[in-house]
Every structure is written in C-alpha cells, then in structure tokens.
Amino acid sequence: MAEVEFTIGHKEYRVGAADGEERLLARAAQILDGEARQILEQAGRVPEPRLLLLAGLMLADRFATLEERAEKAERHVTRLQQNPPRVEVPVIPADLREAMAELAARAESLADRLEEQRRGEAE
C-alpha cells in the first residue's frame, strides 16, 4: 500500500492508498484543497474541522448540481431516442420527375450534337 502526501488548506496530510489509486487520491485532495483555499481567502482563519466540513459541503453541492444536470441530459437523450424528430423528405410529383427526366435527356442529346459538330469542324 502506498502513501500519498497532500495539503488541504494549510495543513499537510498523509493517507494510505491502494496500489494504482495514488493519482486518484492526489486529484481528489487537489480538488478539496481548491475549495478549502477559497474558503480561507473569503473567511480568513478557520478551524480545521470546520474548513474540511465547509469544503466538503461545497463539493457536495457542486456534485449534486452536476448529478441533476446529468440526469436531465439522460432523460432528454432517452426522450429523443424514443421519439426521434421527424424529418420530412419532399416527394417530387411523378409528372415533374418525368419532365425533369425529359429535360435531362434533351440536354444530353444537345451535348452529344455539339460534340459531334466540334469533331466535324476539327477534321
């Protein structure tokens, strides 16, 4: 078991951590220290138990807010998955489709004629 040293507020701590968990513990301590330092900046000197309590409460509040946002996002995703937005694809009327095909055929025919004319002039 490894030991991790860190500071929260102005006090140093040493805590045992399971092998491989050291980085997670150090990161958690860093977050808690950030909250503690904010409290110290605003309130000045605060007894250690109160500082840890307030920092923990601030983190719990942030966690609860993020948890609510995640649940709301999950509900929104579920709703979208169950009722995907309708996408309407315009349907081209048959007579218009036929007219467009006729125009395309004429255009190709004209292009072929022009190509033949060019070849005839080049020879």
Side-chain angles (χ1 to χ4, degrees), residues 23-34:
R23 287 181 49 207
L24 294 173
L25 179 59
R27 177 68 177 131
Q30 182 183 24
I31 293 169
L32 185 59
D33 180 51

Side-chain angles (χ1 to χ4, degrees), residues 22-100:
E22 301 91 351
R23 287 181 49 207
L24 294 173
L25 179 59
R27 177 68 177 131
Q30 182 183 24
I31 293 169
L32 185 59
D33 180 51
E35 295 298 324
R37 290 185 185 276
Q38 280 186 335
I39 294 167
L40 291 171
E41 286 175 11
Q42 295 173 2
R45 191 151 176 85
V46 177
E48 178 188 354
R50 185 161 180 79
L51 177 63
L52 293 175
L53 171 67
L54 292 173
L57 288 172
M58 288 173 64
L59 287 174
D61 179 56
R62 186 183 308 166
F63 175 79
T65 300
L66 291 173
E67 192 172 47
E68 287 174 12
R69 289 177 61 192
E71 287 173 3
K72 184 178 178 182
E74 287 175 356
R75 285 192 304 270
H76 183 69
V77 167
T78 300
R79 197 169 36 249
L80 286 174
Q81 287 173 337
Q82 292 172 349
N83 301 310
R86 289 187 60 188
V87 177
E88 293 191 25
V89 178
V91 176
I92 300 173
D95 56 341
L96 179 58
R97 191 171 39 239
E98 289 171 12
M100 289 173 68

